[in-house]
Amino acid sequence: MKTEQDTYGFMELYFQGTTEEPFASAAEQWSAWERFVDMLCMISLVMKEQKRPESLGRIGCLLEDEALVKTLEPGERAAFPCRKQVRDIFELLLRKGRGPEGAGASLPLSGFLSENLEPVEMMAFLLAACGDRSRKYERIFGVLQEERSGTAKPTAGLVHDLCGLFLEEAQNMPGLLLDEDRFLNRFLLQPQRDDARLSRLSRPISLRKPVVSLLYGNRKMLGGMAYCAQVLEEGDTDLVLCHQEALERLIQVFVRMTVLREDGVVLLQGIPGTGKRYLAQALGDSLGMEALCIHGRKLLSKGPEAVAQALEEAVLKTVLAGHILYLDMNGVGREEAGPLAQALVFLKDYVGRFLIGADASWREETEILGHVYRIAVEKPGAREQKAFWGHFAGEYGIGFAEDVDLDQLVSLYDLTPGRIRETLACAMLAAPMAGDAFLLGKRGLEEEIRHQCSGSLGRYAARLDSPFGWEDLQLSGESRKQLEHACDRIRFRSVVNEEYGFGRKLPYGRGLSILLYGPPGTGKTMTAQVLANELGLDIYRIDLSQIGSKYIGETEKNLGAVFDAARFSNAILFFDEADALFTKRTEVASSNDRHANAETAYLLQRIEEYSGVSILATNVMQNFDNAFRRRMTFLIPIEQPGEEERLALWEKVFPEEAPLEKGIDFGVYARVAELTGSGIKSAALTAAYRAAAEHRRIGNQDLIGAVDLEYRRIGRTGIDQELYTALYMEMGRGGSHA
């Protein structure tokens, strides 16, 4: 009869005095678990010896452990431990596997499996893992399951039988192995195909490929979610300095949830590119973990099967490999709310704690998750943006030319860290080399910035070319001074707000709003184009026909979409003929009055909040009330040009290539023809077409006819004869006019 001393003697012999100390390495842990599985197999085989005595010899040849081989000899079989002692060994190995990485259990799955799987589930996992690691187990399992081929995968029935050798409750736990909603079956084991020939307990079990990959220490393998996911490498702490407060709150919340074992979601809210992903990286760095980033748009770009597979593998890498899950939902619209909601609920059920990155509008989409902790991630200020320009330039080996002023650059272009990085990465490709560095000049840098920011305003706006400079404007001295001052407000706002400290005192109103007013054709649109050219910014004319709506609330909604898109464009917003949409607020006598007033108030609100440049142009200044005017940074009159301004316009309107007759005195046209700048351009173009049609140079007869046509177009007559007489008297010659 077997004694307790014999039992512990075997235990000491077989496990060589195993202690409670955590495993020193993954190899040591694997060896211990394989020895345990070998021991269970040998006990089972000895019990079957009378039926199939030849099996002991066959299996003995597969075993490398001398202690187990000795058990095949009749004199040693009595030394097998009893059920209680086998369970003691099992529980000891579980405890040893729960030590922290680096000080014990180095198998990536060990801690989670030991704490979350039932003993019978743990055995199922071990048998499947052994089958993947060594072909010998297929032969052993084949003998135990009496397979004629001698090779086999373990089955649920085999797991149940082996557990019965040391677990009293094993007879009552077959349901755990068959329940498809259990974590083991849902995520760790390959889905079982229905086979009418086999009972459910006879179906083979094996591990999923991602699980096998993790067992072998490959934490980077993404498998079926490679199209939508990436493991974030160790982050750069410099990139989160501008979000230090947000990072501290994030660490505090996540650590507290982890310690208390509470499920929860942290929502990082901010516009794309503000650094939400870097915060996820920094959280992982602070906790000694890696962050797994799933891109929501890419996740939802494929069919339901691909999405389901990606989510399951995300759960595996998060809970088994000890990753922090970060779900990047930038750009995911409300039309995708259905599939998105299902994904969020799935992750909440199985992961428990994870991060979501989204814009500030995300609220309804996360209500299904219960309690959500929100952390705002603001766009960095000018000082931080300047640091990002320097950081990324150093990362890419880029040097800036002498004409690049970073202070003015961050004043003109309010960019996120992500867009700064992308701009430099693309600009580098076309930059010349200066020694070992790429040299970026002002022109190339601004062109790339404008390219990166283009296309954000969609159907509500059209981009205007900006070919005009200061020399093309003919304005009064006061209007010109105001325009120059407006440019300075943009160029030096980072200095005033950051270095002079006005940003702390005046958190709002950092943008620039200009109201240009004057008669039609005086050059309000050209003035806006000159400002854009001078500042190096794109200018977009807002299509008021797309903005305005007869339905209550739609106009405000469309305006909101324009300003939301403009945050990413760094463009000048140009509202031409703005009085057609935003008129003087009136006494509320009807719902229409209330609606109109609301539209005007909303526009003023968004203009104040917008950090860029917005220009409104109107022909009728009196349509705007005093409250509206006070909200504008500048009110600049664009007046009818005088004789001197008209002369300058006539002299500059014709290109150098234009074939003009000799002796044309533009001073006469400037004195007699009281045209606006727009009228002068139209007249010059008409004269050019008249001359081209008759294959001759542009002469007075063409110009007189063109001016006469412009006068008739604006409702005035008689200029033809007046101008002809003036030309005759001034130039001392006559002729017939056209």
Side-chain angles (χ1 to χ4, degrees):
M1 182 175 178
K2 180 174 57 177
T3 65
E4 184 175 342
Q5 185 177 2
D6 292 332
T7 298
Y8 281 102
F10 175 86
M11 194 173 171
E12 183 177 355
L13 172 67
Y14 186 46
F15 289 96
Q16 300 175 353
T18 297
T19 66
E20 295 278 349
E21 293 295 323
F23 293 111
S25 66
E28 181 182 332
Q29 188 172 8
W30 265 121
S31 176
W33 278 118
E34 287 181 351
R35 290 163 69 86
F36 181 78
V37 171
D38 288 349
M39 182 183 69
L40 288 181
C41 291
M42 285 307 310
I43 295 174
S44 180
L45 284 168
V46 170
M47 294 175 66
K48 297 176 180 288
E49 180 185 4
Q50 293 181 352
K51 292 183 179 181
R52 299 185 62 181
E54 73 279 2
S55 65
L56 291 176
R58 291 168 54 193
I59 298 305
C61 297
L62 297 174
L63 299 175
E64 300 176 358
D65 191 276
E66 293 183 1
L68 277 182
V69 174
K70 284 185 176 181
T71 63
L72 298 175
E73 301 174 6
E76 297 289 338
R77 291 172 196 164
F80 276 127
C82 64
R83 171 180 289 180
K84 180 180 181 304
Q85 300 309 323
V86 175
R87 179 156 187 162
D88 288 343
I89 297 171
F90 177 76
E91 293 178 348
L92 174 64
L93 296 181
L94 288 179
R95 291 195 300 272
K96 288 170 65 67
R98 292 170 185 161
E101 287 191 39
S106 52
L107 280 181
L109 317 185
S110 180
F112 177 85
L113 297 177
S114 300
E115 293 182 4
N116 293 276
L117 296 188
E118 297 289 343
V120 70
E121 294 178 302
M122 186 67 184
M123 281 304 305
F125 179 86
L126 287 173
L127 293 185
C130 287
D132 278 306
R133 284 180 62 86
S134 175
R135 292 286 306 272
K136 83 172 186 180
Y137 288 105
E138 289 189 350
R139 299 185 179 96
I140 294 175
F141 298 155
V143 173
L144 290 174
Q145 298 171 137
E146 300 182 351
E147 296 286 341
R148 291 183 180 181
S149 64
T151 62
K153 292 288 187 181
T155 64
L158 177 61
V159 176
H160 184 264
D161 292 343
L162 293 181
C163 288
L165 300 176
F166 68 100
L167 295 175
E168 295 180 357
E169 64 269 30
Q171 299 299 324
N172 301 320
M173 299 177 69
L176 292 175
L177 302 176
L178 305 178
D179 187 351
E180 295 180 354
D181 291 330
R182 298 285 298 180
F183 191 91
L184 173 73
N185 294 314
R186 182 72 183 271
F187 297 102
L188 303 181
L189 302 181
Q190 288 281 9
Q192 295 186 354
R193 298 179 179 178
D194 291 332
D195 191 340
R197 300 171 301 174
L198 299 173
S199 68
R200 296 189 68 185
L201 287 175
S202 299
R203 294 172 186 173
I205 58 176
S206 59
L207 299 180
R208 292 173 178 256
K209 290 183 179 179
V211 179
V212 176
S213 177
L214 288 171
L215 281 174
Y216 284 96
N218 186 1
R219 294 172 176 250
K220 307 295 184 184
M221 186 174 177
L222 298 176
M225 64 175 174
Y227 77 97
C228 66
Q230 66 180 125
V231 176
L232 303 179
E233 304 294 339
E234 184 176 353
D236 193 328
T237 56
D238 291 343
L239 301 180
V240 295
L241 291 180
C242 59
H243 302 309
Q244 193 62 42
E245 183 178 349
L247 177 60
E248 291 174 358
R249 291 175 62 196
L250 175 59
I251 294 173
Q252 179 186 8
V253 170
F254 206 84
V255 170
R256 187 166 295 176
M257 287 193 300
T258 303
V259 171
L260 300 177
R261 298 196 175 193
E262 292 183 353
D263 294 342
V265 176
V266 181
L267 180 60
L268 304 176
Q269 290 187 293
I271 63 175
T274 50
K276 299 185 291 294
R277 189 186 67 183
Y278 288 122
L279 281 175
Q281 282 182 275
L283 173 64
D285 295 343
S286 65
L287 302 179
M289 306 166 68
E290 291 179 324
L292 175 66
C293 175
I294 297 182
H295 302 277
R297 285 188 64 86
K298 295 179 180 178
L299 171 68
L300 301 176
S301 65
K302 295 191 176 183
E305 292 185 2
V307 173
Q309 181 184 359
L311 290 175
E312 289 180 357
E313 293 189 12
V315 171
L316 280 177
K317 289 192 68 66
T318 303
V319 302
L320 299 185
H323 285 56
I324 294 172
L325 179 62
Y326 171 63
L327 197 59
D328 184 357
M329 286 299 163
N330 288 317
V332 177
R334 293 181 178 269
E335 66 277 3
E336 299 166 303
L340 174 63
Q342 297 174 15
L344 293 178
V345 171
F346 179 86
L347 294 174
K348 178 74 179 296
D349 289 343
Y350 288 102
V351 175
R353 297 176 291 276
F354 62 97
L355 312 179
I356 297 177
D359 63 35
S361 65
W362 264 53
R363 290 200 174 270
E364 297 178 3
E365 291 84 349
T366 57
E367 290 180 354
I368 58 175
L369 299 175
H371 177 68
V372 176
Y373 192 89
R374 291 177 170 84
I375 297 177
V377 184
E378 304 291 344
K379 183 188 289 186
R383 184 176 300 166
E384 289 81 11
Q385 289 182 43
K386 184 178 177 180
F388 283 127
W389 279 107
H391 174 84
F392 291 129
E395 181 179 297
Y396 290 120
I398 293 174
F400 296 114
E402 293 182 357
D403 61 349
V404 176
D405 187 333
L406 289 181
D407 287 319
Q408 288 199 13
L409 193 70
V410 299
S411 294
L412 291 171
Y413 305 103
D414 188 17
L415 303 180
T416 63
R419 184 152 285 177
I420 292 173
R421 176 195 282 272
E422 189 67 20
T423 297
L424 287 172
C426 294
M428 176 185 66
L429 300 177
M433 293 292 295
D436 296 333
F438 299 96
L439 188 64
L440 278 182
K442 178 182 178 181
R443 180 177 179 182
L445 195 56
E446 289 184 346
E447 286 181 354
E448 187 58 42
I449 293 174
R450 294 165 72 170
H451 175 73
Q452 290 290 329
C453 297
S454 63
S456 303
L457 293 173
R459 65 186 180 92
Y460 297 112
R463 183 179 177 274
L464 297 178
D465 291 330
S466 305
F468 307 112
W470 288 117
E471 66 281 0
D472 297 301
L473 281 182
Q474 301 300 322
L475 300 176
S476 66
E478 184 60 31
S479 296
R480 174 85 175 241
K481 287 181 181 179
Q482 288 197 65
L483 288 173
E484 291 174 347
H485 186 45
C487 291
D488 291 339
R489 290 283 292 260
I490 294 298
R491 289 195 184 98
F492 300 104
R493 61 180 173 179
S494 68
V495 175
V496 172
N497 289 327
E498 302 289 340
E499 296 183 16
Y500 294 2
F502 278 87
R504 299 190 305 273
K505 295 286 187 179
L506 304 172
Y508 296 100
R510 297 189 180 188
L512 179 68
S513 56
I514 302 172
L515 180 61
L516 305 177
Y517 62 95
T522 52
K524 296 182 291 296
T525 300
M526 178 186 283
T527 302
Q529 291 171 295
V530 169
L531 285 175
N533 188 26
E534 182 67 17
L535 295 172
L537 300 173
D538 283 337
I539 181 170
Y540 283 82
R541 188 202 303 266
I542 306 303
D543 188 348
L544 299 183
S545 66
Q546 295 288 336
I547 297 291
S549 175
K550 64 180 180 180
Y551 299 105
I552 295 178
E554 281 297 309
T555 299
E556 292 91 330
K557 178 182 177 182
N558 295 337
L559 276 171
V562 168
F563 281 100
D564 289 341
R567 294 182 303 172
F568 307 102
S569 67
N570 282 272
I572 295 176
L573 301 182
F574 180 52
F575 296 85
D576 198 9
E577 299 181 3
D579 53 284
L581 185 62
F582 312 107
T583 56
K584 181 187 294 185
R585 285 169 284 190
T586 62
E587 297 293 330
V588 178
S590 68
S591 61
N592 291 333
D593 295 334
R594 188 180 298 109
H595 182 205
N597 291 346
E599 290 176 354
T600 302
Y602 184 76
L603 173 69
L604 290 174
Q605 175 191 332
R606 295 309 302 260
I607 285 178
E608 283 189 326
E609 295 173 353
Y610 183 47
S611 60
V613 182
S614 51
I615 302 176
L616 285 72
T618 180
N619 302 330
V620 191
M621 182 62 169
Q622 56 268 29
N623 281 357
F624 295 94
D625 59 23
N626 290 330
F628 193 104
R629 299 178 191 181
R630 285 197 299 271
R631 302 288 186 91
M632 297 292 106
T633 314
F634 291 94
L635 301 171
I636 302 177
I638 309 298
E639 301 171 343
Q640 191 89 11
E643 181 180 340
E644 184 177 345
E645 288 81 19
R646 291 197 295 270
L647 175 59
L649 290 171
W650 275 111
E651 290 176 342
K652 294 179 180 179
V653 73
F654 288 98
E656 294 181 0
E657 300 87 346
L660 294 172
E661 289 184 354
K662 295 182 179 181
I664 297 177
D665 187 357
F666 288 117
V668 177
Y669 293 93
R671 183 170 61 255
V672 178
E674 297 179 356
L675 296 175
T676 63
S678 175
I680 291 173
K681 286 190 291 183
S682 179
L685 193 61
T686 299
Y689 277 112
R690 290 167 66 104
E694 298 182 11
H695 305 286
R696 52 178 173 78
R697 291 179 173 273
I698 304 169
N700 282 314
Q701 58 191 10
D702 305 305
L703 290 170
I704 293 172
V707 171
D708 184 58
L709 182 64
E710 277 303 305
Y711 259 66
R712 295 180 188 278
R713 188 172 63 86
I714 61 178
R716 298 176 62 178
T717 59
I719 188 64
D720 185 358
Q721 187 62 45
E722 182 182 355
L723 182 59
Y724 181 78
T725 302
L727 285 170
Y728 181 83
M729 295 178 62
E730 292 283 338
M731 305 178 66
R733 62 184 179 88
S736 60
H737 61 78

